[in-house]
Amino acid sequence: MAGAVLVINCGSSSIKYSLFDANASRTLADGIVERLGQAGSRHVHRSHAPGGDPEEIVQETPIPNHRTGVERIARRIEESSVEGGAIEIAAVGHRVAHGGSGFTGPAVIDDGVLARIAEFVHLAPLHMPANLTGIEITTALWPQALQVAVFDTAFHHTVPEHAYRYALPVDLADRHGVRRFGFHGTSHEHASKQAARMLGRPLSEVNVVVLHLGNGASACAVSGGRSLDTSMGMTPLEGLVMGTRSGDLDPGVVLQLAQADGLSVEEVERLLHRESGLKGLCGANDMRDIARRAAEGDGPAELALAVFSYRVRKYIGAYAAVLPVLDAVVFTGGIGENSAPVRDRACANLEHLGIRFDNAKNAAPNGEPRDISTDASLVKVLVIPANEELEIAQQTLRCLRDAP
Ligand code: ADP
């Protein structure tokens, strides 16, 4: 098969990937290599034959690092043949966490682009080193393929200055590039396009609050397909409560921890990125466990669920005020798609915002895009499965078509 598009999403301890056909209209294969460098690492690969159930291969084997992980993925793809022919990779689309303010769309990777990307490593230290390793390895493995960087930050380049600027001395902030960039851009973009389709209106006329709730979580106010504001900031630490990240915090807390408790910069960084959020509140960061424990009356789990959902609710209100009108609230990401208790706590009793939440629709498990508001609700509440890989594939394909 000629001209397939491979999407690689190198996270800190996992690599997700999806292989699409030449039009990015069909997923040929996808999978994940997870728990890199830890006990229990494994590779799950699924081949999607047309019309049938995916065929899944699970291999539990030591996978020490990203290099070994990407090489395994490449081997698996090269071993599989689709409809009788060998797969030729025409382009590889890489999810890249940070593109600063310079990258406002996808970029074909060359030495200059790589050097510019390297400047942002310190702003997303959990993700960027892995992103760069992925690019390096796929470039060596498929030298003929176009390598494209699709940035989590790019969708937010339309955020106006009054929303991206922090109230710090302007010259100091500018000198250090301190401003809101925002992340999860491909997810917010995909969800808002899907929402417009579900509402049956052109994207240019639709105003939505998108809530991407996964291990990382962010809210975004999207007007006419353009990001007006988003909850993550210069780094992916600001905003909503996350699995292990604090989200919004009084900056005085950091000073207090550093001064009174004598924590080093590295210790504070570790605390805010890896030991806070849901994990800090109740010792667990998987929402499935937390919701189950809360339902059984576990106090810390109930508190974590309450703090998480309240923060989401607060941002719905804030972004309803940012948008000219509100057409829909959109839930996406592992928690947004699956956690009925979080959606309930975030959206129930918001009739004053035009939201009439339907408890029965919310509680019914369903993996499809759906509306969980009542028919009379002025503002729809939509659940839309995240598909960052498809968005990255489509953007990569556009670069491939535009390539000389
Ligand atoms: P990532 O940010 O790593 O891509 P995901 O979007 O996969 O994360 O979301 C991971 C989160 O989704 C975890 O907190 C997990 O508990 C939660 N999740 C997944 N399935 C469910 C479910 N059925 N009910 C509640 N939460 C779920």
Side-chain angles (χ1 to χ4, degrees), residues 245-306:
R245 283 172 257 168
S246 63
D248 290 338
L249 197 70
D250 173 358
V253 172
V254 177
L255 304 179
Q256 170 70 16
L257 292 172
Q259 284 166 355
D261 278 13
L263 296 190
S264 68
V265 171
E266 289 73 25
E267 285 167 329
V268 174
E269 183 174 38
R270 183 175 169 75
L271 175 79
L272 299 181
H273 278 275
R274 295 186 189 269
E275 305 296 338
S276 299
L278 294 170
K279 184 179 177 197
L281 288 164
C282 74
N285 62 345
D286 190 311
M287 188 52 85
R288 283 166 287 210
D289 299 337
I290 295 168
R292 182 183 41 76
R293 278 171 50 193
E296 289 166 3
D298 177 305
E302 168 54 35
L303 179 66
L305 185 58

Side-chain angles (χ1 to χ4, degrees), residues 116-130:
R116 285 168 66 198
I117 294 175
E119 289 171 22
F120 305 115
V121 168
H122 67 290
L123 294 179
L126 291 186
H127 301 95
M128 293 292 277

Side-chain angles (χ1 to χ4, degrees), residues 15 33 35-38 41 62-72 133 137:
I15 308 167
V33 173
R35 302 186 62 83
L36 290 170
Q38 302 165 40
S41 54
I63 308 173
N65 51 39
H66 287 81
R67 180 171 300 278
T68 325
V70 178
E71 285 168 356
R72 285 190 67 87
T133 306
I137 301 168

Side-chain angles (χ1 to χ4, degrees), residues 20-27 390 397:
F20 293 87
D21 68 357
N23 299 318
S25 55
R26 192 158 77 77
T27 307
L390 176 61
L397 199 56

Side-chain angles (χ1 to χ4, degrees), residues 77-157:
I77 288 172
E78 278 170 358
E79 278 165 15
S80 43
S81 63
V82 175
E83 287 145 22
I87 293 171
E88 184 201 317
I89 307 286
V92 184
H94 295 268
R95 178 178 178 191
V96 177
H98 215 307
S101 50
F103 290 107
T104 58
V108 174
I109 298 170
D110 58 17
D111 288 346
V113 167
L114 270 182
R116 285 168 66 198
I117 294 175
E119 289 171 22
F120 305 115
V121 168
H122 67 290
L123 294 179
L126 291 186
H127 301 95
M128 293 292 277
N131 298 161
L132 285 168
T133 306
I135 293 170
E136 185 196 320
I137 301 168
T138 61
T139 306
L141 286 171
W142 292 290
Q144 82 295 346
L146 195 73
Q147 307 283 332
V148 175
V150 178
F151 299 95
D152 263 27
T153 44
F155 181 60
H156 303 297
H157 78 275

Side-chain angles (χ1 to χ4, degrees), residues 16 213-216 285-288 333-335 338-339:
K16 293 182 189 160
L213 311 179
N215 276 319
N285 62 345
D286 190 311
M287 188 52 85
R288 283 166 287 210
I335 297 173
N338 296 301
S339 181

Side-chain angles (χ1 to χ4, degrees), residues 326-350:
L326 181 60
D327 296 309
V329 173
V330 180
F331 285 91
T332 191
I335 297 173
E337 290 159 37
N338 296 301
S339 181
V342 166
R343 293 190 302 252
D344 181 20
R345 288 167 187 237
C347 283
N349 304 317
L350 284 183

